């Protein structure tokens, strides 16, 4: 009995993710204790706040945009393209989707899907700009996609302040989406948005694409070694355009969901303050672009964030502790992966020199 | 320290790496103020010997004397301390720093706690000017062309008071004009009493600048000659004179039909230098056409242009009667081109991928392995297992990561993949490099079978014996041009060697 317990403890500690989570919880406990609160109490409040009652719904609701943005970012990432413009694509898509949901004179059965499509198209077009910049002008996507977040915010801010402003409110926002045109709630998790179904379908779709299709294979090989891909006949430039379109499309859809499924008004800056795009980026990195682990990591981060708020409410420990925990987990896991990768490379190099070393 | 002692004296230097005797009892004496050339083929032991001399590698046996004094270098710092300086093939400079900052690195003139930038720049300028190097101490290294970087490396060595400069294949990266400039500098250094060890395999350069030449082959010194008393032909024979393995002279399969036609193909690089100069040739069905060239003489550019990895600047290429000059790599593969790249790590494989995914590359859009957009997983894995068995690739399974394979196994994997394509033409760039003897014979048999099926092979190899054994015809490239064509049956390594090293131009360079 003691043997099996020790064995399983060892197994957990050797898993980098589990190890990092355990260690970061210990570090968090030390910080909480330093503020004069019992860490066990704080943690139990956190768990209760994240997983019980309306907390569970909030956690799942928060998970949707985090995992969605992780998915959006993972598609180009896997092909070696770093899209840091998720936020801008989400905002632009969100506005386009919202406007479609407000103004399309069609029955709701059509309006809701069309709003999501409008969000996807707008987000994809915004993502197309850096893709063209890289393929045609050798402008790195890493930089241009990041910089395009600012004009995206400015543009949507202008739109909701002037052409599409709701004159009846003081905040810069659109009029609310008509009740009939909102994304419905599920009976699940105390009324979570139906977008959850869409997200699950997307995750399955991306997983199948990655593992089972020819383009999925080709994008992975490009991510591993783009020269090899080119040599093997993959049109790498065209691939860059496609993965960016897919990425921007998903981001735009998530933006649409956040308004048409959650807040119902596009409020300037609202989609940006929660930092979904950045949480999503971290989740994608942690899960190394695999859809299954992305769902798990996204749920964990969402629970940390929602639980952190509950902890602040109930035992007066600042919710930033949750952010500290999140950061520690990431640093630990990143460190473990780097060490592992370095060890592997060293082994390869050693093997190589004995065979081909120029003498 | 005795007055008449030679600048450098190496006695009985021996170095063994696993499976190779890299240096075998090497003796070398270099006189003060001489330009001493070290020549040999790839793998002759030049690099190992220079690494030992510069303290980067420790010899198993033997001793080194610098101006009569016995020394033992445990690192390059010791060698620098003894007055040696090395200019590596790949320059070791900080691109974002200035020339002066690079030169004074680790020996910075100081003013209090700070670097005395003015003194550094003045010192570097004075040193550079005294040898006519013509470099600006304030220039940023990343903005400088390769030829100037090399002079920065030379100044760096001189700044550390190097009496002996080791130049490791310094002309490999230079255009012909830049090379002549380097020779002028080398003669000035010699006039100032510095000693130069000049590692090369281009014989016209040996004839042009050196006083003495030491020829290495298979880790041994074959000869130590006075340059003025020898000839390129004699040196070439000493360099390459190993016994050629007897192989039945291949015959042309169903010859006459032109598979590949290359017309006036030219490549100009980003710096505007001509790397490939109007090259024309054909490969016929049932033929192995060999290309013999020392690295950096345009063969890489030729292959990149043929495979579509970098565009050609002029001329045309047709394969099986289809013009592929502007085609994408994928279209070229469809037109019937397979390619074993020289750089199996950076081009030929993806280290992070599994054996199966590496073996699939290039086939992923063929009907055998896909149904619409879906990959046929079972067929893919089965294909991988077949190739592993056929080519005796030593791996755990088709799911093993390629990054864990040894060099020879990796090469077998790449060759297996490319030779299995139903392509009419195979471009094989160094197909047997780093592979053990048994595997080499196996791969040679495969290449001959490929040809016997009426397909064509363009074979590029640094091993002349391999070219001679397998090819029907051999083209020799030198400085971006085809300088000679031979029937493989009626030439030999010595003759090829002369053309490859520009030996046929030696007279002209001298005058």
């Amino acid at each position: 009995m003691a043997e099996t317990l020790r064995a399983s403890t060892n197994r957990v500690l050797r898993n980098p993710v589990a190890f990092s989570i355990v260690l970061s919880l210990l570090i968090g406990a030390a910080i909480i204790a330093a503020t004069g609160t019992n860490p066990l109490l704080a943690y139990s409040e956190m768990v209760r706040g994240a997983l019980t009652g309306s907390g569970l719904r909030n956690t799942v609701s928060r998970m949707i945009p985090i995992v969605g943005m992780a998915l959006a970012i993972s598609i180009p990432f896997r092909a070696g393209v770093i899209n840091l413009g998720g936020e801008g694509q989400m905002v632009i898509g969100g506005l386009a989707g919202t406007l479609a949901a407000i103004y399309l004179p069609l029955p709701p059965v059509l309006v809701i899907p069309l709003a999501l499509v409008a969000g996807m198209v707008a987000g994809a077009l915004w993502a197309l700009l850096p893709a063209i910049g890289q393929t045609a002008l050798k402008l790195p996507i890493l930089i241009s996609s990041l910089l395009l977040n600012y004009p995206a915010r400015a543009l949507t801010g202008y739109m909701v302040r002037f052409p599409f402003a709701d004159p009846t409110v003081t905040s810069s926002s659109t009029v609310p989406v008509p009740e009939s045109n909102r994304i419905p709630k599920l009976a699940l998790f105390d009324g979570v948005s139906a977008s959850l179904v869409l997200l699950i379908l997307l995750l399955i779709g991306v997983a199948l694409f990655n593992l089972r299709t020819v383009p999925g294979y080709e994008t992975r090989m490009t991510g591993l070694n783009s020269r090899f891909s080119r040599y093997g006949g993959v049109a790498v430039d065209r691939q860059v355009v496609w993965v960016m379109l897919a990425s921007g499309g998903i981001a735009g859809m998530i933006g649409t969901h956040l308004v048409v499924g959650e807040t119902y008004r596009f409020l300037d800056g609202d989609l940006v303050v929660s930092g979904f795009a950045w949480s999503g980026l971290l989740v994608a990195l942690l899960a190394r672009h695999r859809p299954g682990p992305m769902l798990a990591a996204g749920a964990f981060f969402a629970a940390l964030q929602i639980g952190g708020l509950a902890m602040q409410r109930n035992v007066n420990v600042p919710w930033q502790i949750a952010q500290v925990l999140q950061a520690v987990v990431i640093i630990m896991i990143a460190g473990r992966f780097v060490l592992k990768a370095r060890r592997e490379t060293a082994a390869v190099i050693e093997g190589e020199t004995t065979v081909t070393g120029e003498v | 320290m005795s007055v008449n002692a030679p600048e450098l004296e190496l006695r009985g230097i021996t170095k063994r790496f696993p499976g190779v005797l890299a240096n075998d009892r090497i003796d070398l004496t270099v006189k003060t103020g001489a330009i001493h050339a070290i020549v040999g083929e790839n793998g002759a032991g030049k690099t190992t010997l220079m690494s030992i001399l510069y303290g980067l590698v420790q010899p198993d046996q033997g001793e080194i004397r610098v101006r009569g004094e016995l020394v033992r270098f445990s690192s390059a710092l010791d060698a620098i301390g003894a007055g040696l300086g090395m200019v590596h093939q790949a320059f070791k400079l900080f691109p974002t720093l200035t020339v002066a900052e690079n030169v004074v690195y680790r020996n910075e003139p100081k003013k209090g706690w700070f670097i005395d930038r003015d003194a550094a720049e003045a010192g570097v300028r004075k040193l550079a000017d005294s040898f006519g190097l013509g470099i600006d101490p304030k220039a940023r290294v990343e903005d400088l062309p390769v030829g100037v970087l090399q002079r920065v490396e030379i100044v760096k060595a001189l700044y550390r008071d190097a009496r002996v400069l080791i130049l490791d294949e310094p002309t490999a990266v230079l255009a012909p004009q830049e090379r002549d400039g380097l020779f002028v500098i080398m003669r000035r250094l010699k006039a100032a009493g510095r000693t130069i060890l000049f590692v090369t395999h281009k014989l016209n350069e040996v004839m042009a600048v050196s006083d003495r030449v030491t020829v290495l082959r298979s880790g041994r010194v074959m000869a130590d000659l006075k340059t003025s008393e020898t000839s390129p032909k004699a040196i070439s024979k000493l360099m390459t004179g190993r016994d050629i393995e007897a192989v039945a002279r291949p015959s042309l399969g169903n010859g006459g039909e032109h598979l590949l036609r290359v017309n006036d193909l030219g490549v100009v690089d980003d710096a505007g230098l001509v790397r490939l100069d109007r090259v024309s040739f054909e490969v016929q069905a049932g033929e192995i056409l060999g290309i013999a060239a020392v690295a950096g003489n345009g063969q890489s550019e030729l292959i990149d242009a043929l495979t579509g990895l970098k565009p050609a600047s002029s001329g045309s290429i047709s394969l099986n009667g289809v013009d592929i000059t502007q085609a994408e790599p994928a279209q070229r593969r469809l037109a019937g081109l397979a390619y074993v790249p020289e750089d199996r790590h950076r081009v030929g494989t993806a280290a992070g991928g599994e054996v199966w995914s590496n073996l699939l590359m290039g086939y992923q859009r063929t009907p055998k392995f896909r149904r619409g957009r879906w990959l046929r997983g079972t067929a893919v894995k089965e294909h991988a297992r077949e190739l592993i068995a056929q080519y005796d690739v030593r791996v755990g399974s088709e799911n093993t990561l390629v990054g864990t394979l040894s060099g020879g196994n990796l090469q077998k994997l790449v060759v297996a993949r490319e030779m299995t394509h139903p392509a009419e033409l195979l471009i094989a760039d160094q197909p047997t490099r780093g592979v053990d003897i048994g595997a080499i014979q196996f791969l040679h048999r495969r290449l001959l079978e490929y040809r016997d099926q009426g397909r064509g092979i363009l074979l590029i190899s640094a091993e002349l014996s391999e070219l001679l054994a397998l090819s029907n015809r051999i083209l020799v490239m030198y400085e971006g041009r085809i300088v000679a064509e031979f029937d493989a049956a009626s030439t030999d390594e010595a003759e090829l060697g002369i053309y490859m090293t520009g030996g046929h131009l030696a007279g002209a360079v001298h005058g």
Side-chain angles (χ1 to χ4, degrees):
Chain A
M1 183 63 203
E3 271 306 300
T4 53
L5 186 67
R6 190 173 312 148
S8 59
T9 317
N10 272 342
R11 208 169 34 244
V12 168
L13 289 186
R14 228 171 278 143
N15 177 319
V17 176
F19 176 83
S20 315
I21 291 172
V22 169
L23 197 72
S24 61
L25 286 177
L26 291 176
I27 293 174
I31 300 172
I32 294 168
T35 66
T37 311
N38 178 355
L40 287 178
L41 182 68
Y43 279 152
S44 71
E45 278 305 318
M46 213 168 151
V47 171
R48 190 145 32 131
L51 300 181
T52 61
S54 66
L56 184 60
R57 188 196 57 214
N58 291 340
T59 298
V60 176
S61 295
R62 204 175 184 86
M63 184 193 81
I64 294 173
I66 293 180
V67 174
M69 291 310 291
L71 198 61
I73 287 161
S74 75
I75 292 172
F77 224 111
R78 201 167 151 275
V81 176
I82 300 174
N83 175 19
L84 294 182
E87 198 172 86
Q89 292 145 22
M90 183 174 81
V91 174
I92 291 280
L95 181 64
T98 307
L99 294 178
I102 295 172
Y103 296 108
L104 273 185
L106 292 167
V109 219
L110 293 177
V111 171
I112 295 173
L114 282 177
L116 289 167
V117 169
M120 285 182 81
V121 170
L125 289 177
W126 198 254
L128 186 62
L129 295 175
I132 290 174
Q134 172 154 319
T135 52
L137 307 169
K138 301 209 185 300
L139 200 65
I141 284 182
L142 176 78
I143 295 167
S144 58
S145 66
L146 179 67
L147 292 179
L148 277 168
N149 288 334
Y150 302 99
R153 271 203 64 182
L155 183 65
T156 53
Y158 165 78
M159 296 294 247
V160 299
R161 249 180 216 104
F162 301 101
F164 298 106
D166 179 352
T168 62
V169 293
T170 50
S171 56
S172 346
S173 98
T174 60
V175 297
V177 175
E179 218 153 301
S180 59
N181 289 356
R182 296 172 183 176
I183 296 173
K185 302 285 186 194
L186 297 176
L188 217 58
F189 298 124
D190 201 11
V192 81
S193 166
S195 304
L196 180 63
V197 178
L198 214 55
L199 179 71
I200 303 289
L201 289 178
L202 265 180
L203 280 170
I204 295 171
V206 172
L208 282 176
F209 171 85
N210 287 351
L211 297 175
R212 292 286 157 83
T213 68
V214 174
Y217 162 78
E218 290 181 342
T219 44
R220 178 165 75 106
M221 296 318 273
T222 306
L224 291 172
N225 181 352
S226 66
R227 288 181 69 183
F228 179 49
S229 249
R230 241 177 85 67
Y231 150 87
V234 177
V236 173
D237 277 357
R238 221 168 305 152
Q239 201 177 64
V240 167
V241 171
W242 278 114
V243 294
M244 285 301 286
L245 283 175
S247 183
I250 294 176
M253 201 181 80
I254 295 298
T256 305
H257 151 76
L258 284 171
V259 181
V260 182
E262 298 280 350
T263 62
Y264 311 131
R265 277 173 189 272
F266 188 100
L267 182 67
D268 183 29
D270 204 20
L271 302 188
V272 180
V273 284
S274 313
F276 293 129
W278 304 107
S279 296
L281 177 69
L282 296 174
V283 166
L285 281 175
L286 278 189
R288 290 193 290 167
H289 330 316
R290 293 163 303 172
M294 267 192 293
L295 188 64
F300 177 68
F301 276 21
L304 263 185
Q305 292 173 8
I306 297 295
L309 290 171
M311 184 171 73
Q312 168 164 298
R313 245 186 348 259
N314 300 336
V315 291
N316 225 359
V317 171
W319 70 274
Q320 280 86 352
I321 291 287
Q323 286 194 318
V324 172
L325 290 181
Q326 194 173 311
V328 174
V329 173
I330 291 159
I331 291 169
M332 298 300 306
I333 294 178
R336 292 284 297 232
F337 282 135
V338 169
L339 279 182
K340 193 160 163 262
R342 207 175 279 169
R343 230 174 291 143
E344 275 163 11
T345 341
V348 171
I349 290 169
E350 247 159 60
E352 183 59 25
T353 42
T354 52
V355 182
T356 60
E358 234 270 85
V359 286
Chain B
M1 200 205 291
S2 84
V3 184
N4 293 325
E7 190 74 23
L8 283 176
E9 205 176 357
L10 277 61
R11 286 284 162 262
I13 297 286
T14 299
K15 179 69 193 179
R16 189 182 291 277
F17 288 116
V20 221
L21 189 54
N23 280 177
D24 185 6
R25 288 161 288 158
I26 288 189
D27 294 338
L28 176 67
T29 304
V30 182
K31 292 214 180 74
T32 305
I35 297 179
H36 194 120
I38 312 278
V39 298
E41 293 189 293
N42 285 334
K46 306 182 298 262
T47 303
T48 304
L49 186 64
M50 291 308 117
S51 301
I52 288 172
L53 186 54
Y54 197 55
L56 300 171
V57 172
Q58 276 63 52
D60 300 333
Q61 276 156 38
E63 53 183 48
I64 303 174
R65 282 169 199 279
V66 178
R67 293 181 290 283
E69 210 169 309
L70 188 65
V71 291
R72 189 168 286 275
F73 299 148
S74 56
S75 76
L77 290 179
D78 294 344
I80 292 167
L84 270 59
M86 183 149 175
V87 176
H88 297 270
Q89 269 189 68
F91 303 136
K92 300 180 188 300
L93 298 168
F94 302 108
T96 54
L97 298 184
T98 66
V99 168
E101 285 162 344
N102 266 285
V103 170
V104 302
Y105 174 65
R106 289 183 64 92
N107 290 290
E108 302 87 350
K110 298 233 174 75
K111 201 192 276 167
W113 285 5
F114 299 98
I115 294 178
D116 187 346
R117 208 168 288 273
D118 293 338
E121 279 165 11
V124 171
R125 182 176 317 250
K126 190 166 159 242
L127 193 58
D129 288 351
S130 66
F131 291 100
L133 292 173
I135 50 178
D136 173 11
K138 290 183 178 177
R140 207 163 285 282
V141 160
E142 61 192 347
D143 301 332
L144 297 173
V146 172
V148 178
L149 294 183
Q150 191 167 56
R151 281 181 259 152
V152 175
E153 285 279 12
I154 292 173
V155 175
K156 205 168 96 182
L158 294 174
Y159 190 82
R160 282 157 186 65
D161 274 332
R163 294 171 48 101
V164 181
L165 281 164
I166 304 169
L167 306 180
D168 188 9
E169 299 196 20
T171 56
V173 293
L174 298 183
Q177 308 87 313
E178 291 175 312
R179 181 191 61 195
D180 295 341
L182 174 68
F183 289 169
V184 172
I185 291 164
M186 285 167 70
R187 293 197 191 95
R188 280 197 199 124
L189 289 166
K190 172 186 147 103
R194 315 272 175 155
T195 308
I196 295 174
L197 268 176
F198 174 42
V199 181
T200 183
H201 38 212
K202 297 196 179 176
L203 297 187
N204 57 332
E205 297 175 356
V206 171
M207 301 312 289
V209 287
S210 73
D211 301 309
R212 285 195 81 84
V213 51
T214 296
V215 185
L216 296 184
R217 186 167 88 213
S218 313
R220 286 200 207 107
V221 173
M222 299 310 294
D224 179 36
L225 308 161
K226 199 163 177 199
T227 307
S228 56
E229 291 167 4
T230 186
S231 69
K233 190 153 189 168
I235 298 174
S236 169
K237 196 157 181 196
L238 286 163
M239 261 169 75
T240 59
R242 85 186 86 103
D243 292 333
I244 303 162
E245 55 187 293
V247 176
R249 178 59 51 196
S251 62
L252 219 58
N254 48 351
E257 197 190 327
H258 291 288
L259 266 182
L260 177 75
R261 247 179 218 282
V262 175
N263 233 324
D264 275 342
L265 196 66
V267 172
V268 178
D269 71 7
D270 295 337
L273 292 169
V274 175
R275 293 294 180 183
L276 192 65
D277 191 4
R278 284 163 296 147
V279 166
S280 301
F281 63 90
E282 290 101 36
V283 180
Q284 296 168 26
E287 176 189 50
I288 298 181
L289 176 66
I291 291 192
V294 173
N297 278 285
Q299 67 272 52
S300 314
E301 287 79 5
L302 171 63
I303 294 165
D304 282 350
L306 290 178
T307 54
L309 294 180
K310 284 200 191 121
S313 315
S314 59
S316 69
I317 308 162
S318 75
L319 179 61
N320 268 329
V322 182
D323 186 327
I324 57 163
T325 316
Q326 302 298 332
E328 295 274 318
Q331 294 168 298
R332 296 184 197 224
R333 282 193 177 267
L334 281 177
L337 182 83
Y339 169 37
V340 175
E342 179 188 12
D343 191 337
R344 57 192 171 223
H345 293 287
R346 284 190 294 170
V347 181
T349 57
E354 310 82 357
V355 167
W356 70 259
S357 59
N358 273 274
L359 284 172
L360 179 64
M361 183 50 80
Y363 295 90
Q364 70 273 20
R365 288 178 184 266
T366 57
K368 193 177 168 195
F369 299 109
R370 72 171 173 139
R371 198 182 291 115
R373 294 199 167 274
W374 300 93
L375 217 50
R376 302 166 82 123
T378 355
V380 166
K381 298 267 172 108
E382 202 165 301
H383 172 73
R385 281 194 293 272
E386 268 168 32
L387 292 192
I388 291 169
Q390 269 179 36
Y391 284 82
D392 189 28
V393 186
R394 310 270 163 84
V395 291
S397 80
E398 70 274 13
N399 295 318
T400 307
L401 285 189
V402 155
T404 62
L405 266 59
S406 74
N409 262 322
L410 202 57
Q411 186 66 17
K412 283 200 257 179
L413 182 142
V414 175
V415 173
R417 182 183 63 218
E418 295 305 314
M419 287 188 67
T420 313
H421 277 289
E424 294 292 306
L425 180 78
L426 175 71
I427 298 178
D429 194 359
Q430 317 293 351
T432 60
R433 175 179 285 176
V435 180
D436 63 60
I437 304 279
I440 287 177
Q441 283 171 350
F442 171 78
L443 292 176
H444 282 178
R445 268 201 307 278
R446 288 282 170 154
L447 287 167
L448 292 173
E449 279 169 27
Y450 195 94
R451 181 208 61 197
D452 290 345
Q453 292 160 6
R455 305 196 267 182
I457 299 177
L458 184 65
L459 175 68
I460 298 92
S461 177
E463 289 294 332
L464 293 184
S465 57
E466 179 168 277
L467 284 177
L468 286 163
L470 298 175
S471 311
N472 299 87
R473 288 181 298 141
I474 297 176
L475 303 177
V476 182
M477 289 185 67
Y478 184 70
E479 294 185 347
R481 285 192 208 106
I482 292 176
V483 293
E485 175 181 338
F486 296 101
D487 180 343
S490 58
T491 183
D492 59 19
E493 297 198 2
E495 188 176 25
L496 290 174
I498 288 175
Y499 285 88
M500 282 166 67
T501 51
H504 61 296
L505 304 169
V509 172
H510 242 335

